[in-house]
Amino acid sequence: VSETSRARAERREQIKNEILFSSEVQEILGFSRERLRQIVQAGRITPIRKGIYLKDDIMAFKKSREENK
């Protein structure tokens, strides 16, 4: 395996650990698809691409919701 292939595989794994798909976000936050859409439209969560979110953003949003209960 070349150095380039190894580096790409490591980067791919790193990215997998840093992003979440909509279905995962819905599960973590306990939101329906519609509620997630509303939160995104309101600008409270910003996807990096349609249906893809940064894990740090989602965890920060969850923490802020828990602190405000």
Short mmCIF file of all heavy atoms in Angstrom, two decimals:
data_model
loop_
_atom_site.label_atom_id
_atom_site.label_comp_id
_atom_site.label_asym_id
_atom_site.label_seq_id
_atom_site.Cartn_x
_atom_site.Cartn_y
_atom_site.Cartn_z
N VAL A 1 0.86 -1.19 0.00
CA VAL A 1 0.00 0.00 0.00
C VAL A 1 0.89 1.24 0.00
O VAL A 1 1.79 1.36 0.83
CB VAL A 1 -0.94 0.01 1.24
CG1 VAL A 1 -1.80 1.23 1.26
CG2 VAL A 1 -1.78 -1.24 1.27
N SER A 2 0.62 2.11 -0.91
CA SER A 2 1.45 3.31 -1.03
C SER A 2 1.16 4.29 0.11
O SER A 2 0.11 4.22 0.76
CB SER A 2 1.22 3.99 -2.37
OG SER A 2 -0.05 4.61 -2.39
N GLU A 3 2.09 5.18 0.31
CA GLU A 3 1.94 6.22 1.34
C GLU A 3 0.70 7.08 1.07
O GLU A 3 -0.05 7.41 1.98
CB GLU A 3 3.20 7.10 1.38
CG GLU A 3 3.23 8.09 2.52
CD GLU A 3 3.33 7.41 3.89
OE1 GLU A 3 3.97 6.36 3.99
OE2 GLU A 3 2.76 7.96 4.85
N THR A 4 0.47 7.39 -0.20
CA THR A 4 -0.69 8.19 -0.58
C THR A 4 -1.99 7.46 -0.25
O THR A 4 -2.92 8.05 0.29
CB THR A 4 -0.65 8.53 -2.08
OG1 THR A 4 0.58 9.20 -2.36
CG2 THR A 4 -1.79 9.42 -2.48
N SER A 5 -2.05 6.18 -0.58
CA SER A 5 -3.25 5.39 -0.29
C SER A 5 -3.51 5.31 1.21
O SER A 5 -4.65 5.41 1.67
CB SER A 5 -3.11 3.98 -0.85
OG SER A 5 -3.06 4.01 -2.24
N ARG A 6 -2.44 5.13 1.98
CA ARG A 6 -2.57 5.05 3.43
C ARG A 6 -3.06 6.39 3.99
O ARG A 6 -3.95 6.42 4.84
CB ARG A 6 -1.23 4.66 4.06
CG ARG A 6 -1.35 4.30 5.53
CD ARG A 6 -0.05 3.74 6.11
NE ARG A 6 0.49 2.65 5.31
CZ ARG A 6 1.69 2.67 4.73
NH1 ARG A 6 2.49 3.71 4.86
NH2 ARG A 6 2.11 1.64 4.03
N ALA A 7 -2.49 7.47 3.51
CA ALA A 7 -2.90 8.80 3.98
C ALA A 7 -4.36 9.07 3.63
O ALA A 7 -5.10 9.62 4.45
CB ALA A 7 -2.00 9.88 3.37
N ARG A 8 -4.77 8.67 2.44
CA ARG A 8 -6.17 8.87 2.05
C ARG A 8 -7.10 8.03 2.91
O ARG A 8 -8.17 8.49 3.31
CB ARG A 8 -6.34 8.55 0.57
CG ARG A 8 -5.73 9.64 -0.30
CD ARG A 8 -5.70 9.29 -1.74
NE ARG A 8 -7.04 9.08 -2.26
CZ ARG A 8 -7.28 8.80 -3.53
NH1 ARG A 8 -6.30 8.72 -4.39
NH2 ARG A 8 -8.51 8.62 -3.94
N ALA A 9 -6.71 6.81 3.21
CA ALA A 9 -7.53 5.94 4.06
C ALA A 9 -7.65 6.53 5.47
O ALA A 9 -8.73 6.52 6.07
CB ALA A 9 -6.93 4.54 4.12
N GLU A 10 -6.55 7.06 5.99
CA GLU A 10 -6.58 7.70 7.31
C GLU A 10 -7.48 8.93 7.30
O GLU A 10 -8.25 9.16 8.23
CB GLU A 10 -5.17 8.09 7.75
CG GLU A 10 -4.30 6.91 8.13
CD GLU A 10 -2.86 7.30 8.41
OE1 GLU A 10 -2.54 8.51 8.48
OE2 GLU A 10 -2.03 6.38 8.57
N ARG A 11 -7.38 9.73 6.24
CA ARG A 11 -8.22 10.94 6.13
C ARG A 11 -9.69 10.57 6.02
O ARG A 11 -10.54 11.20 6.63
CB ARG A 11 -7.77 11.75 4.91
CG ARG A 11 -8.51 13.04 4.75
CD ARG A 11 -8.15 14.03 5.85
NE ARG A 11 -8.92 15.25 5.67
CZ ARG A 11 -9.59 15.84 6.63
NH1 ARG A 11 -9.55 15.40 7.86
NH2 ARG A 11 -10.29 16.92 6.38
N ARG A 12 -9.97 9.53 5.25
CA ARG A 12 -11.35 9.06 5.10
C ARG A 12 -11.93 8.65 6.46
O ARG A 12 -13.05 8.99 6.80
CB ARG A 12 -11.37 7.88 4.13
CG ARG A 12 -12.68 7.62 3.50
CD ARG A 12 -12.61 6.53 2.43
NE ARG A 12 -12.17 7.08 1.16
CZ ARG A 12 -11.04 6.72 0.53
NH1 ARG A 12 -10.26 5.81 1.03
NH2 ARG A 12 -10.73 7.26 -0.63
N GLU A 13 -11.13 7.95 7.25
CA GLU A 13 -11.57 7.51 8.58
C GLU A 13 -11.78 8.72 9.50
O GLU A 13 -12.75 8.77 10.25
CB GLU A 13 -10.54 6.55 9.18
CG GLU A 13 -11.00 5.86 10.43
CD GLU A 13 -12.21 4.96 10.21
OE1 GLU A 13 -12.36 4.38 9.14
OE2 GLU A 13 -13.01 4.86 11.15
N GLN A 14 -10.88 9.68 9.42
CA GLN A 14 -11.01 10.90 10.22
C GLN A 14 -12.30 11.64 9.89
O GLN A 14 -13.04 12.05 10.78
CB GLN A 14 -9.81 11.81 9.98
CG GLN A 14 -9.84 13.10 10.76
CD GLN A 14 -8.67 14.01 10.40
OE1 GLN A 14 -7.99 13.83 9.40
NE2 GLN A 14 -8.45 15.01 11.21
N ILE A 15 -12.59 11.77 8.61
CA ILE A 15 -13.81 12.46 8.18
C ILE A 15 -15.05 11.71 8.66
O ILE A 15 -16.00 12.32 9.14
CB ILE A 15 -13.82 12.66 6.65
CG1 ILE A 15 -12.76 13.69 6.26
CG2 ILE A 15 -15.19 13.07 6.15
CD1 ILE A 15 -12.48 13.77 4.78
N LYS A 16 -15.02 10.36 8.56
CA LYS A 16 -16.16 9.57 9.04
C LYS A 16 -16.45 9.84 10.51
O LYS A 16 -17.60 9.81 10.93
CB LYS A 16 -15.90 8.08 8.83
CG LYS A 16 -16.26 7.58 7.47
CD LYS A 16 -16.45 6.08 7.44
CE LYS A 16 -15.14 5.35 7.53
NZ LYS A 16 -15.25 3.90 7.33
N ASN A 17 -15.41 10.10 11.28
CA ASN A 17 -15.58 10.36 12.71
C ASN A 17 -16.01 11.80 13.00
O ASN A 17 -16.39 12.10 14.13
CB ASN A 17 -14.28 10.06 13.46
CG ASN A 17 -13.97 8.58 13.48
OD1 ASN A 17 -14.86 7.75 13.51
ND2 ASN A 17 -12.69 8.25 13.44
N GLU A 18 -15.95 12.68 12.02
CA GLU A 18 -16.26 14.09 12.23
C GLU A 18 -17.61 14.52 11.66
O GLU A 18 -18.06 15.62 11.94
CB GLU A 18 -15.17 14.97 11.60
CG GLU A 18 -13.83 14.84 12.30
CD GLU A 18 -12.73 15.64 11.62
OE1 GLU A 18 -13.01 16.34 10.63
OE2 GLU A 18 -11.60 15.56 12.09
N ILE A 19 -18.24 13.66 10.86
CA ILE A 19 -19.51 14.05 10.25
C ILE A 19 -20.63 13.12 10.67
O ILE A 19 -20.40 11.99 11.11
CB ILE A 19 -19.42 14.09 8.70
CG1 ILE A 19 -19.16 12.70 8.14
CG2 ILE A 19 -18.40 15.11 8.23
CD1 ILE A 19 -19.34 12.60 6.63
N LEU A 20 -21.84 13.62 10.53
CA LEU A 20 -23.04 12.84 10.79
C LEU A 20 -24.02 13.07 9.65
O LEU A 20 -24.07 14.17 9.09
CB LEU A 20 -23.71 13.29 12.09
CG LEU A 20 -22.92 13.11 13.38
CD1 LEU A 20 -23.59 13.86 14.52
CD2 LEU A 20 -22.78 11.64 13.72
N PHE A 21 -24.78 12.05 9.33
CA PHE A 21 -25.84 12.19 8.34
C PHE A 21 -27.14 12.55 9.06
O PHE A 21 -27.28 12.36 10.27
CB PHE A 21 -26.00 10.89 7.55
CG PHE A 21 -24.80 10.59 6.68
CD1 PHE A 21 -23.84 9.69 7.09
CD2 PHE A 21 -24.63 11.25 5.48
CE1 PHE A 21 -22.73 9.43 6.31
CE2 PHE A 21 -23.52 11.00 4.68
CZ PHE A 21 -22.57 10.09 5.09
N SER A 22 -28.10 13.04 8.31
CA SER A 22 -29.38 13.49 8.89
C SER A 22 -30.00 12.45 9.82
O SER A 22 -30.48 12.79 10.91
CB SER A 22 -30.38 13.83 7.78
OG SER A 22 -29.95 14.94 7.06
N SER A 23 -30.00 11.20 9.40
CA SER A 23 -30.63 10.16 10.23
C SER A 23 -29.92 10.02 11.57
O SER A 23 -30.57 9.81 12.61
CB SER A 23 -30.62 8.82 9.49
OG SER A 23 -29.30 8.43 9.16
N GLU A 24 -28.60 10.18 11.58
CA GLU A 24 -27.86 10.11 12.84
C GLU A 24 -28.15 11.32 13.72
O GLU A 24 -28.29 11.20 14.94
CB GLU A 24 -26.36 10.02 12.55
CG GLU A 24 -25.95 8.76 11.82
CD GLU A 24 -24.54 8.80 11.29
OE1 GLU A 24 -24.19 9.74 10.54
OE2 GLU A 24 -23.78 7.89 11.64
N VAL A 25 -28.25 12.49 13.10
CA VAL A 25 -28.57 13.72 13.84
C VAL A 25 -29.96 13.60 14.46
O VAL A 25 -30.15 13.93 15.63
CB VAL A 25 -28.49 14.95 12.91
CG1 VAL A 25 -28.99 16.20 13.63
CG2 VAL A 25 -27.08 15.15 12.40
N GLN A 26 -30.91 13.09 13.70
CA GLN A 26 -32.27 12.91 14.22
C GLN A 26 -32.27 11.99 15.44
O GLN A 26 -32.95 12.27 16.44
CB GLN A 26 -33.18 12.31 13.14
CG GLN A 26 -33.46 13.25 12.00
CD GLN A 26 -34.16 12.53 10.86
OE1 GLN A 26 -35.05 11.72 11.07
NE2 GLN A 26 -33.74 12.83 9.65
N GLU A 27 -31.48 10.94 15.38
CA GLU A 27 -31.40 10.00 16.50
C GLU A 27 -30.75 10.65 17.72
O GLU A 27 -31.26 10.53 18.84
CB GLU A 27 -30.61 8.76 16.07
CG GLU A 27 -30.64 7.66 17.09
CD GLU A 27 -29.94 6.40 16.59
OE1 GLU A 27 -30.05 6.08 15.40
OE2 GLU A 27 -29.28 5.75 17.42
N ILE A 28 -29.65 11.34 17.52
CA ILE A 28 -28.94 11.98 18.63
C ILE A 28 -29.80 13.03 19.31
O ILE A 28 -29.84 13.13 20.54
CB ILE A 28 -27.62 12.61 18.14
CG1 ILE A 28 -26.61 11.49 17.79
CG2 ILE A 28 -27.02 13.56 19.17
CD1 ILE A 28 -25.39 11.98 17.02
N LEU A 29 -30.50 13.84 18.51
CA LEU A 29 -31.29 14.94 19.07
C LEU A 29 -32.72 14.53 19.42
O LEU A 29 -33.43 15.28 20.09
CB LEU A 29 -31.31 16.12 18.09
CG LEU A 29 -29.95 16.75 17.76
CD1 LEU A 29 -30.12 17.86 16.74
CD2 LEU A 29 -29.27 17.25 19.02
N GLY A 30 -33.14 13.37 18.95
CA GLY A 30 -34.51 12.93 19.20
C GLY A 30 -35.52 13.73 18.39
O GLY A 30 -36.65 13.94 18.84
N PHE A 31 -35.12 14.18 17.21
CA PHE A 31 -35.97 14.99 16.35
C PHE A 31 -36.53 14.16 15.20
O PHE A 31 -35.88 13.24 14.71
CB PHE A 31 -35.17 16.14 15.70
CG PHE A 31 -34.80 17.27 16.62
CD1 PHE A 31 -33.94 18.26 16.17
CD2 PHE A 31 -35.29 17.38 17.90
CE1 PHE A 31 -33.58 19.32 16.98
CE2 PHE A 31 -34.94 18.42 18.72
CZ PHE A 31 -34.09 19.40 18.27
N SER A 32 -37.70 14.55 14.74
CA SER A 32 -38.22 13.99 13.49
C SER A 32 -37.49 14.67 12.34
O SER A 32 -36.81 15.69 12.52
CB SER A 32 -39.71 14.28 13.37
OG SER A 32 -39.93 15.68 13.24
N ARG A 33 -37.66 14.12 11.15
CA ARG A 33 -37.05 14.73 9.97
C ARG A 33 -37.57 16.14 9.77
O ARG A 33 -36.82 17.06 9.45
CB ARG A 33 -37.33 13.86 8.74
CG ARG A 33 -36.65 14.37 7.49
CD ARG A 33 -36.78 13.41 6.34
NE ARG A 33 -38.16 13.04 6.10
CZ ARG A 33 -38.55 11.91 5.53
NH1 ARG A 33 -37.67 11.03 5.14
NH2 ARG A 33 -39.82 11.66 5.34
N GLU A 34 -38.86 16.32 10.00
CA GLU A 34 -39.47 17.65 9.83
C GLU A 34 -38.92 18.65 10.85
O GLU A 34 -38.63 19.80 10.52
CB GLU A 34 -40.99 17.55 9.96
CG GLU A 34 -41.71 18.87 9.87
CD GLU A 34 -41.55 19.58 8.54
OE1 GLU A 34 -41.21 18.94 7.54
OE2 GLU A 34 -41.75 20.81 8.50
N ARG A 35 -38.75 18.22 12.09
CA ARG A 35 -38.22 19.12 13.12
C ARG A 35 -36.77 19.52 12.80
O ARG A 35 -36.40 20.68 12.97
CB ARG A 35 -38.31 18.47 14.50
CG ARG A 35 -37.83 19.39 15.62
CD ARG A 35 -38.76 20.60 15.76
NE ARG A 35 -38.27 21.46 16.80
CZ ARG A 35 -38.22 22.80 16.70
NH1 ARG A 35 -38.64 23.41 15.63
NH2 ARG A 35 -37.76 23.51 17.70
N LEU A 36 -35.99 18.57 12.35
CA LEU A 36 -34.61 18.88 11.96
C LEU A 36 -34.62 19.90 10.82
O LEU A 36 -33.85 20.86 10.83
CB LEU A 36 -33.85 17.62 11.55
CG LEU A 36 -32.41 17.83 11.08
CD1 LEU A 36 -31.57 18.54 12.15
CD2 LEU A 36 -31.78 16.51 10.68
N ARG A 37 -35.49 19.71 9.85
CA ARG A 37 -35.60 20.66 8.73
C ARG A 37 -35.95 22.05 9.24
O ARG A 37 -35.36 23.04 8.80
CB ARG A 37 -36.66 20.17 7.74
CG ARG A 37 -36.72 20.99 6.46
CD ARG A 37 -37.88 20.57 5.57
NE ARG A 37 -39.18 20.90 6.14
CZ ARG A 37 -39.69 22.12 6.20
NH1 ARG A 37 -39.03 23.15 5.73
NH2 ARG A 37 -40.88 22.33 6.74
N GLN A 38 -36.86 22.15 10.20
CA GLN A 38 -37.23 23.44 10.77
C GLN A 38 -36.05 24.11 11.47
O GLN A 38 -35.83 25.31 11.31
CB GLN A 38 -38.38 23.27 11.77
CG GLN A 38 -39.69 22.90 11.14
CD GLN A 38 -40.74 22.51 12.17
OE1 GLN A 38 -40.44 22.33 13.35
NE2 GLN A 38 -41.98 22.34 11.72
N ILE A 39 -35.29 23.34 12.23
CA ILE A 39 -34.12 23.87 12.94
C ILE A 39 -33.08 24.38 11.95
O ILE A 39 -32.48 25.43 12.15
CB ILE A 39 -33.52 22.77 13.87
CG1 ILE A 39 -34.51 22.40 14.98
CG2 ILE A 39 -32.18 23.19 14.44
CD1 ILE A 39 -34.75 23.47 16.00
N VAL A 40 -32.88 23.64 10.87
CA VAL A 40 -31.92 24.06 9.84
C VAL A 40 -32.41 25.33 9.16
O VAL A 40 -31.65 26.28 8.98
CB VAL A 40 -31.68 22.92 8.81
CG1 VAL A 40 -30.91 23.43 7.60
CG2 VAL A 40 -30.93 21.77 9.48
N GLN A 41 -33.70 25.38 8.79
CA GLN A 41 -34.26 26.57 8.13
C GLN A 41 -34.17 27.80 9.02
O GLN A 41 -33.99 28.91 8.53
CB GLN A 41 -35.70 26.33 7.70
CG GLN A 41 -35.81 25.49 6.45
CD GLN A 41 -37.22 25.45 5.92
OE1 GLN A 41 -38.20 25.51 6.67
NE2 GLN A 41 -37.34 25.32 4.60
N ALA A 42 -34.28 27.59 10.32
CA ALA A 42 -34.19 28.70 11.27
C ALA A 42 -32.74 29.15 11.48
O ALA A 42 -32.49 30.15 12.15
CB ALA A 42 -34.81 28.30 12.60
N GLY A 43 -31.80 28.40 10.93
CA GLY A 43 -30.39 28.76 11.06
C GLY A 43 -29.75 28.35 12.36
O GLY A 43 -28.65 28.79 12.69
N ARG A 44 -30.40 27.49 13.11
CA ARG A 44 -29.85 27.07 14.41
C ARG A 44 -28.81 25.97 14.26
O ARG A 44 -27.96 25.80 15.12
CB ARG A 44 -30.99 26.64 15.33
CG ARG A 44 -31.90 27.84 15.65
CD ARG A 44 -33.09 27.48 16.48
NE ARG A 44 -32.69 26.93 17.78
CZ ARG A 44 -33.50 26.21 18.53
NH1 ARG A 44 -34.73 25.95 18.14
NH2 ARG A 44 -33.08 25.75 19.69
N ILE A 45 -28.89 25.23 13.16
CA ILE A 45 -27.89 24.22 12.79
C ILE A 45 -27.62 24.43 11.31
O ILE A 45 -28.55 24.59 10.53
CB ILE A 45 -28.39 22.78 13.01
CG1 ILE A 45 -28.67 22.50 14.49
CG2 ILE A 45 -27.39 21.78 12.47
CD1 ILE A 45 -29.26 21.14 14.75
N THR A 46 -26.35 24.42 10.93
CA THR A 46 -25.99 24.61 9.53
C THR A 46 -25.30 23.35 9.01
O THR A 46 -24.23 22.99 9.50
CB THR A 46 -25.04 25.81 9.38
OG1 THR A 46 -25.67 26.96 9.94
CG2 THR A 46 -24.71 26.07 7.92
N PRO A 47 -25.92 22.69 8.03
CA PRO A 47 -25.26 21.52 7.45
C PRO A 47 -24.05 21.95 6.62
O PRO A 47 -24.01 23.06 6.10
CB PRO A 47 -26.34 20.89 6.56
CG PRO A 47 -27.29 21.99 6.27
CD PRO A 47 -27.20 22.96 7.41
N ILE A 48 -23.06 21.05 6.50
CA ILE A 48 -21.92 21.37 5.64
C ILE A 48 -22.26 21.08 4.18
O ILE A 48 -21.69 21.70 3.29
CB ILE A 48 -20.62 20.65 6.07
CG1 ILE A 48 -20.80 19.14 6.13
CG2 ILE A 48 -20.14 21.18 7.39
CD1 ILE A 48 -19.52 18.39 6.43
N ARG A 49 -23.17 20.17 3.97
CA ARG A 49 -23.79 19.90 2.67
C ARG A 49 -25.17 19.35 3.00
O ARG A 49 -25.43 18.97 4.14
CB ARG A 49 -23.01 18.84 1.89
CG ARG A 49 -21.68 19.36 1.37
CD ARG A 49 -21.07 18.41 0.42
NE ARG A 49 -21.72 18.59 -0.87
CZ ARG A 49 -21.20 18.19 -2.02
NH1 ARG A 49 -20.04 17.58 -2.02
NH2 ARG A 49 -21.82 18.37 -3.14
N LYS A 50 -26.03 19.30 2.03
CA LYS A 50 -27.38 18.81 2.30
C LYS A 50 -27.32 17.42 2.94
O LYS A 50 -26.76 16.48 2.38
CB LYS A 50 -28.19 18.74 1.00
CG LYS A 50 -29.62 18.36 1.24
CD LYS A 50 -30.43 18.41 -0.01
CE LYS A 50 -31.87 18.04 0.34
NZ LYS A 50 -32.74 18.14 -0.80
N GLY A 51 -27.86 17.33 4.15
CA GLY A 51 -27.93 16.05 4.85
C GLY A 51 -26.66 15.62 5.56
O GLY A 51 -26.60 14.53 6.09
N ILE A 52 -25.63 16.49 5.57
CA ILE A 52 -24.37 16.15 6.23
C ILE A 52 -24.02 17.26 7.22
O ILE A 52 -24.01 18.44 6.86
CB ILE A 52 -23.22 15.97 5.21
CG1 ILE A 52 -23.59 14.87 4.21
CG2 ILE A 52 -21.91 15.64 5.92
CD1 ILE A 52 -22.58 14.71 3.09
N TYR A 53 -23.71 16.87 8.45
CA TYR A 53 -23.48 17.82 9.53
C TYR A 53 -22.16 17.53 10.22
O TYR A 53 -21.74 16.37 10.29
CB TYR A 53 -24.61 17.73 10.56
CG TYR A 53 -25.97 17.98 9.96
CD1 TYR A 53 -26.66 16.97 9.31
CD2 TYR A 53 -26.54 19.24 10.01
CE1 TYR A 53 -27.90 17.20 8.73
CE2 TYR A 53 -27.78 19.48 9.44
CZ TYR A 53 -28.45 18.46 8.80
OH TYR A 53 -29.66 18.71 8.22
N LEU A 54 -21.55 18.57 10.77
CA LEU A 54 -20.36 18.37 11.60
C LEU A 54 -20.80 17.85 12.96
O LEU A 54 -21.69 18.42 13.60
CB LEU A 54 -19.60 19.67 11.78
CG LEU A 54 -18.71 20.12 10.64
CD1 LEU A 54 -18.09 21.47 10.95
CD2 LEU A 54 -17.62 19.09 10.38
N LYS A 55 -20.17 16.79 13.41
CA LYS A 55 -20.51 16.19 14.69
C LYS A 55 -20.36 17.20 15.83
O LYS A 55 -21.21 17.27 16.72
CB LYS A 55 -19.62 14.98 14.94
CG LYS A 55 -19.99 14.19 16.16
CD LYS A 55 -19.14 12.93 16.27
CE LYS A 55 -19.61 12.05 17.40
NZ LYS A 55 -18.83 10.80 17.44
N ASP A 56 -19.30 18.02 15.78
CA ASP A 56 -19.09 19.03 16.83
C ASP A 56 -20.25 20.02 16.90
O ASP A 56 -20.65 20.41 18.00
CB ASP A 56 -17.78 19.80 16.58
CG ASP A 56 -16.55 18.96 16.85
OD1 ASP A 56 -16.67 17.87 17.45
OD2 ASP A 56 -15.45 19.40 16.47
N ASP A 57 -20.79 20.42 15.75
CA ASP A 57 -21.93 21.34 15.74
C ASP A 57 -23.15 20.71 16.39
O ASP A 57 -23.86 21.37 17.17
CB ASP A 57 -22.30 21.74 14.30
CG ASP A 57 -21.28 22.63 13.63
OD1 ASP A 57 -20.38 23.15 14.33
OD2 ASP A 57 -21.39 22.81 12.40
N ILE A 58 -23.40 19.46 16.09
CA ILE A 58 -24.57 18.77 16.64
C ILE A 58 -24.42 18.56 18.14
O ILE A 58 -25.36 18.79 18.90
CB ILE A 58 -24.80 17.42 15.91
CG1 ILE A 58 -25.03 17.65 14.41
CG2 ILE A 58 -25.94 16.65 16.55
CD1 ILE A 58 -26.10 18.67 14.07
N MET A 59 -23.23 18.17 18.57
CA MET A 59 -23.03 17.96 20.00
C MET A 59 -23.12 19.28 20.77
O MET A 59 -23.66 19.32 21.88
CB MET A 59 -21.70 17.26 20.25
CG MET A 59 -21.60 15.88 19.57
SD MET A 59 -23.07 14.83 19.70
CE MET A 59 -22.97 14.31 21.40
N ALA A 60 -22.63 20.37 20.19
CA ALA A 60 -22.74 21.68 20.83
C ALA A 60 -24.20 22.12 20.91
O ALA A 60 -24.64 22.66 21.93
CB ALA A 60 -21.92 22.72 20.06
N PHE A 61 -24.97 21.87 19.86
CA PHE A 61 -26.39 22.20 19.86
C PHE A 61 -27.12 21.40 20.94
O PHE A 61 -27.92 21.94 21.71
CB PHE A 61 -27.00 21.91 18.48
CG PHE A 61 -28.46 22.22 18.39
CD1 PHE A 61 -28.90 23.51 18.14
CD2 PHE A 61 -29.40 21.21 18.55
CE1 PHE A 61 -30.26 23.79 18.06
CE2 PHE A 61 -30.76 21.49 18.48
CZ PHE A 61 -31.19 22.78 18.22
N LYS A 62 -26.81 20.11 21.02
CA LYS A 62 -27.45 19.25 22.03
C LYS A 62 -27.11 19.73 23.43
O LYS A 62 -27.99 19.83 24.30
CB LYS A 62 -26.99 17.80 21.84
CG LYS A 62 -27.64 16.85 22.81
CD LYS A 62 -27.20 15.42 22.57
CE LYS A 62 -27.90 14.51 23.58
NZ LYS A 62 -27.52 13.13 23.42
N LYS A 63 -25.84 20.06 23.65
CA LYS A 63 -25.42 20.54 24.97
C LYS A 63 -26.13 21.84 25.34
O LYS A 63 -26.59 22.00 26.47
CB LYS A 63 -23.90 20.75 24.99
CG LYS A 63 -23.38 21.15 26.34
CD LYS A 63 -21.86 21.28 26.33
CE LYS A 63 -21.39 21.68 27.72
NZ LYS A 63 -20.00 22.05 27.75
N SER A 64 -26.26 22.76 24.39
CA SER A 64 -26.92 24.04 24.67
C SER A 64 -28.40 23.82 25.01
O SER A 64 -28.96 24.49 25.87
CB SER A 64 -26.76 25.02 23.52
OG SER A 64 -27.56 24.66 22.42
N ARG A 65 -29.03 22.85 24.34
CA ARG A 65 -30.45 22.54 24.63
C ARG A 65 -30.58 21.95 26.04
O ARG A 65 -31.51 22.28 26.75
CB ARG A 65 -31.00 21.54 23.61
CG ARG A 65 -31.32 22.18 22.29
CD ARG A 65 -31.84 21.16 21.28
NE ARG A 65 -32.84 20.26 21.79
CZ ARG A 65 -34.16 20.50 21.80
NH1 ARG A 65 -34.61 21.63 21.33
NH2 ARG A 65 -35.01 19.61 22.26
N GLU A 66 -29.63 21.09 26.41
CA GLU A 66 -29.69 20.47 27.73
C GLU A 66 -29.44 21.49 28.83
O GLU A 66 -30.05 21.42 29.90
CB GLU A 66 -28.68 19.32 27.81
CG GLU A 66 -29.08 18.14 26.96
CD GLU A 66 -28.01 17.08 26.82
OE1 GLU A 66 -26.86 17.32 27.24
OE2 GLU A 66 -28.31 16.01 26.26
N GLU A 67 -28.57 22.45 28.57
CA GLU A 67 -28.27 23.50 29.57
C GLU A 67 -29.44 24.46 29.76
O GLU A 67 -29.59 25.04 30.81
CB GLU A 67 -27.02 24.28 29.15
CG GLU A 67 -25.74 23.48 29.28
CD GLU A 67 -24.54 24.18 28.68
OE1 GLU A 67 -24.69 25.24 28.05
OE2 GLU A 67 -23.42 23.65 28.86
N ASN A 68 -30.26 24.60 28.72
CA ASN A 68 -31.38 25.55 28.78
C ASN A 68 -32.67 24.93 29.27
O ASN A 68 -33.71 25.56 29.26
CB ASN A 68 -31.60 26.20 27.41
CG ASN A 68 -30.46 27.10 27.03
OD1 ASN A 68 -29.86 27.73 27.90
ND2 ASN A 68 -30.16 27.18 25.74
N LYS A 69 -32.62 23.67 29.70
CA LYS A 69 -33.84 23.01 30.20
C LYS A 69 -34.19 23.51 31.57
O LYS A 69 -33.41 23.90 32.36
CB LYS A 69 -33.65 21.50 30.22
CG LYS A 69 -33.81 20.90 28.83
CD LYS A 69 -33.79 19.40 28.94
CE LYS A 69 -34.09 18.80 27.57
NZ LYS A 69 -34.12 17.38 27.57
#
